[in-house]
Amino acid sequence: MISTIFFDLDGTLIDQKTAQNEACLTLYRCYGFSTAVSEGDFIRKWDSLTEFHYDAYLRRECTYNEQRERRIVDLFAAYGIDRTGKEPLAIYDEYLYYFEKNWRPYPEVKECLEALKGYRLGILTNGDTTQQNQKLEATGLASYFFYVVCAGDYDYAKPDPRLFEAACQLAGVPVSDCLYVGDSFKSDIAPCLTLGMPCVFINRKNKKVEEGICATPTCEAIPAIVAHLNGK
């Protein structure tokens, strides 16, 4: 019987990619990158650097601020653009301002969470604890959640199954009574399959899904899926 539901945050409940793209294009316009690269290639480069350096942070190979700094240094170096004497973290703060201004939940999310108020809801994310709580407050989602589990507070991160086990222990429920909802097969769904934890893949990009995986394009169907799992 499902009693507790944990959600991934970025890409599942909050439209992280649009916010990131808008902030990224602010750097593109302000620092003259248009002379060296197209908008699309610039965004793809930023995405690649973000993934590379954030993964290093999750492996504890650098600090949270160091991964931010390295993303800026590598971005400017890739296109030979002068930082005009500014420190990398000062430039990152410019990016961050526009990133935060564009935080938005996906359109169906609040209605979904309202329909799930009879359950204990939580967040399980690889994001930074401070920033993820800021996102929840800024987007009006914080009040829906009893638990916020962030990899930054542990010595391991998704897809390590131990983070999922830690979330269930915090909620005081066995993995079989906890549903996980996320948009990454590697980071969200695969560890759930390893643990035998019920899960739903939010397939916003319409990727090919293996047979037997519960998948839905948005969070809209989650209340119905939970009801079905509970035999209602």
Side-chain angles (χ1 to χ4, degrees), residues 1-205:
M1 178 74 71
I2 301 299
S3 62
T4 304
I5 306 166
F6 276 93
F7 289 85
D8 172 55
L9 187 57
D10 300 322
T12 298
L13 300 180
I14 289 178
D15 187 356
Q16 166 99 346
K17 191 65 176 73
T18 295
Q20 185 168 296
N21 286 355
E22 290 299 318
C24 186
L25 289 175
T26 298
L27 296 184
Y28 180 83
R29 299 180 188 113
C30 288
Y31 288 93
F33 283 96
S34 60
T35 63
V37 60
S38 68
E39 287 187 0
D41 286 344
F42 183 76
I43 288 172
R44 282 186 284 274
K45 183 66 174 178
W46 180 251
D47 289 348
S48 174
L49 290 172
T50 297
E51 181 177 3
F52 179 80
H53 289 298
Y54 200 83
D55 282 352
Y57 160 69
L58 291 176
R59 295 191 300 270
R60 302 301 183 258
E61 295 171 2
C62 63
T63 67
Y64 188 66
N65 274 342
E66 283 173 344
Q67 63 85 22
R68 288 177 162 183
E69 184 175 28
R70 291 174 183 181
R71 285 153 66 186
I72 294 295
V73 169
D74 287 359
L75 182 69
F76 279 74
Y79 300 110
I81 300 296
D82 185 9
R83 297 202 307 268
T84 65
K86 290 186 179 179
E87 291 297 321
L89 285 179
I91 297 174
Y92 189 90
D93 283 344
E94 296 171 11
Y95 164 85
L96 185 61
Y97 173 79
Y98 289 98
F99 179 50
E100 293 175 350
K101 279 188 66 174
N102 285 282
W103 288 341
R104 302 284 188 279
Y106 288 103
E108 80 285 358
V109 164
K110 287 190 177 180
E111 184 175 348
C112 165
L113 298 177
E114 282 287 336
L116 294 171
K117 276 190 169 180
Y119 298 89
R120 304 282 284 186
L121 304 183
I123 294 292
L124 174 56
T125 170
N126 273 349
D128 172 71
T129 305
T130 299
Q131 186 175 79
Q132 299 302 69
N133 279 294
Q134 288 173 341
K135 283 179 189 172
L136 289 169
E137 291 290 345
T139 56
L141 301 183
S143 63
Y144 291 104
F145 298 100
F146 291 92
Y147 319 105
V148 179
V149 177
C150 299
D153 294 329
Y154 295 83
D155 293 328
Y156 36 81
K158 296 187 299 182
D160 193 319
R162 290 179 294 174
L163 194 63
F164 295 78
E165 291 176 320
C168 291
Q169 289 169 6
L170 178 66
V173 295
V175 295
S176 58
D177 290 354
C178 186
L179 178 71
Y180 188 70
V181 181
D183 72 306
S184 167
F185 188 88
K186 176 184 176 182
S187 294
D188 298 324
I189 305 307
C192 289
L193 297 177
T194 298
L195 291 171
M197 184 175 181
C199 56
V200 178
F201 178 37
I202 301 299
N203 191 14
R204 296 189 185 275
K205 298 179 181 178

